[in-house]
Each structure stands twice: as structure tokens, then as C-alpha cells.
Amino acid sequence: MIKSLSIIFPVFNEGLRLKSSLSHIKIFLKKEKKLKPEIIFVDDGSEDNSYDLIYKFINNFKSKNKVKFKIIRSKDNLGKGAALKLGVKKATHDWILTTDIDMSVSLFQISKWIKKKQIKKKYSVYFGTRSHKKSIVKRNFIRKILGDVGSFLISIILNINIKDTQCGYKLYKKQQAKFAFSKLKNCGWDHDIELVLLLKSKNIVIKELPVKWIHKERSKVNIFLDPIKMFIGILIIRFRHL
């Protein structure tokens, strides 16, 4: 069903983690040839050597199968939502996967979804969710509490019944991704919530699927400031969309 796939990675100051992540991408590309993947890196104003590492990886990548690579470089740090928006705009393949460069969810997760026939014709958008009963999740207690509180607020204030809007592993048909991201206004963490509302406005159903999610070190989550930003962001989206 998925004949070709664009995979988009937003990147910001990931120099310390890129070596293992790029190695993971290389293994995936050599094993999953049927997906005809297109890899899009969006450097969101990194101040470290992230861009140089990615550029070197692309130039040194060797495979019998032609793999399309694109690297987009933003002068300023605009936020994850803005980075993904740039990536989706440049994506050309039939399906689009947005995911985090830390590989908290493996690229091979989509292979498992396909193998288990969880990608159905009647759905055009799939969100990986850590709240699914079949998900395997390894994260610390504080992050779990923050996630649960956030999901509760999103559900109550915005009337969204998606269990986990914040998992970065999301799959879209190209048409649906192009529509939602072209309308996106929120550039930060809250872009995921706005995407849900934009898709909902067109009666596009989101199917949640299980993932294996492992917390990675050097997380950019601030346990003190982010909950406050989350609450304010939810209220802004509430007044803008509802």
C-alpha cells in the first residue's frame, strides 16, 4: 500500500546524538528498499556541527539503490513545527513520515505496522501513541506524569480524543500532510495539537497505532518551564480554533 515514503527529521543541535542516529538511518535504508524512501533533514538553525555531520553522511552514503536525500537549512531556530512544515513542503513521495532524530521510535516501526497489516485503506493519517495497550514504553516517572497531565488538559480544553498527540512518530498520505502543514501556525511543541484540529476540520480521521518508545538522554524537555508553556499554548489554540 505504501509505494514510496518521504521521511522528515527536524534537527536542532543534535551533534552529540547524530552519529548513532545516522547509523540507524543507514541500516534502515539498506534493509527497507521496497519503500523507496526519500530522506529530508531540516536543520532548524543549529549552532553546533549538526549540519556538517548530515552533509558528510549524505555525501558518503553508498547504496545500490538510489536514495533521495534533501537537506534544508534554516538560518534561525524557528521551532519543530516550522521545521516540519519546511520538510513537508519539499516532500514528493506518496506517504510522509515525520519522526524525531533521536530515534526514540525506531524507523523500523513502520515496517512492523505494514507487516501486521495495520495500515488500512480507509485511513490516511496515523499517529504513533505511547498510550496504546500494545505499546512498549520506557521513560522516567516525571516524563510520564507530564505526558498524562498534558493529555488530560488537551482532552478537556480542546475536546480532542487522541490519547497521545505528542509522540513524534506520525504517518500521513501526502495530500493530507500538505494540507495540514500548509495551514499550520504554531511552530513549537504545540504544533501537534493544531495539526489534530486542522485534520479534524476536514473530517480526516486519525488512527492511533502502537509504538516501541524509549526515552533518550539529552532530552530538550524542561520539566519546570514546559508545563507552563503547554498550558498557555493550549489556551492560545483554544481561542484561535474553537
Side-chain angles (χ1 to χ4, degrees):
M1 183 177 174
I2 300 179
K3 295 181 180 179
S4 64
L5 180 70
S6 294
I7 306 175
I8 302 172
F9 297 99
V11 179
F12 177 64
N13 290 346
E14 292 286 353
L16 294 175
R17 292 194 286 200
L18 269 174
K19 184 177 179 180
S20 61
S21 297
L22 294 174
S23 176
H24 182 90
I25 293 171
K26 184 177 180 180
I27 294 169
F28 176 80
L29 292 176
K30 291 191 173 183
K31 288 188 176 181
E32 295 299 328
K33 301 170 185 177
K34 292 182 180 180
L35 293 175
K36 301 176 183 177
E38 168 187 58
I39 305 296
I40 302 175
F41 298 99
V42 186
D43 185 332
D44 188 27
S46 293
E47 298 167 342
D48 64 359
N49 62 339
S50 292
Y51 179 85
D52 294 333
L53 289 172
I54 294 169
Y55 188 81
K56 183 179 179 181
F57 168 76
I58 293 173
N59 282 342
N60 292 339
F61 184 85
K62 295 179 181 179
S63 175
K64 293 180 181 179
N65 299 286
K66 291 183 179 180
V67 178
K68 287 184 179 180
F69 287 103
K70 294 177 183 177
I71 180 168
I72 303 167
R73 193 175 194 180
S74 174
K75 182 179 179 181
D76 302 309
N77 176 230
L78 302 176
K80 184 178 178 181
L84 289 175
K85 185 172 183 175
L86 288 172
V88 169
K89 187 176 182 180
K90 295 293 184 179
T92 60
H93 287 193
D94 295 333
W95 287 79
I96 296 174
L97 176 69
T98 62
T99 186
D100 297 328
I101 196 67
D102 67 0
M103 302 298 166
S104 51
V105 179
S106 166
L107 286 178
F108 288 99
Q109 184 66 64
I110 191 170
S111 309
K112 294 178 181 178
W113 287 352
I114 294 170
K115 185 177 180 180
K116 293 180 179 180
K117 298 181 179 179
Q118 292 174 309
I119 308 297
K120 309 289 185 181
K121 286 186 177 181
K122 63 178 180 178
Y123 297 110
S124 56
V125 178
Y126 298 85
F127 279 16
T129 174
R130 292 160 292 189
S131 299
H132 196 285
K133 63 182 180 180
K134 292 185 179 179
S135 289
I136 300 171
V137 180
K138 297 180 181 180
R139 56 178 165 174
N140 61 43
F141 179 74
I142 293 177
R143 285 183 65 100
K144 184 180 186 305
I145 293 298
L146 288 177
D148 291 344
V149 170
S151 296
F152 176 75
L153 291 175
I154 291 167
S155 174
I156 295 298
I157 298 174
L158 299 176
N159 191 30
I160 288 176
N161 60 2
I162 301 296
K163 294 179 181 178
D164 184 6
T165 60
Q166 303 311 113
C167 179
Y169 205 85
K170 296 177 170 68
L171 177 68
Y172 311 79
K173 274 191 176 179
K174 181 171 68 173
Q175 182 180 351
Q176 281 69 26
K178 296 279 187 182
F179 157 73
F181 280 92
S182 69
K183 303 293 184 182
L184 190 67
K185 302 295 183 185
N186 293 67
C187 295
W189 69 269
D190 46 2
H191 77 276
D192 299 275
I193 304 171
E194 188 180 14
L195 285 173
V196 173
L197 294 175
L198 288 167
L199 293 166
K200 188 177 179 181
S201 72
K202 294 295 182 181
N203 296 317
I204 298 170
V205 178
I206 299 169
K207 177 68 175 176
E208 292 188 275
L209 292 178
V211 293
K212 182 178 180 181
W213 191 94
I214 301 174
H215 170 70
K216 301 294 183 178
E217 296 301 323
R218 302 188 183 94
S219 169
K220 295 183 175 67
V221 174
N222 186 309
I223 62 174
F224 300 106
L225 292 178
D226 286 352
I228 298 172
K229 291 180 181 178
M230 178 186 296
F231 183 66
I232 294 173
I234 291 171
L235 291 179
I236 291 173
I237 293 173
R238 172 74 174 80
F239 290 121
R240 179 180 289 168
H241 286 275
L242 300 176

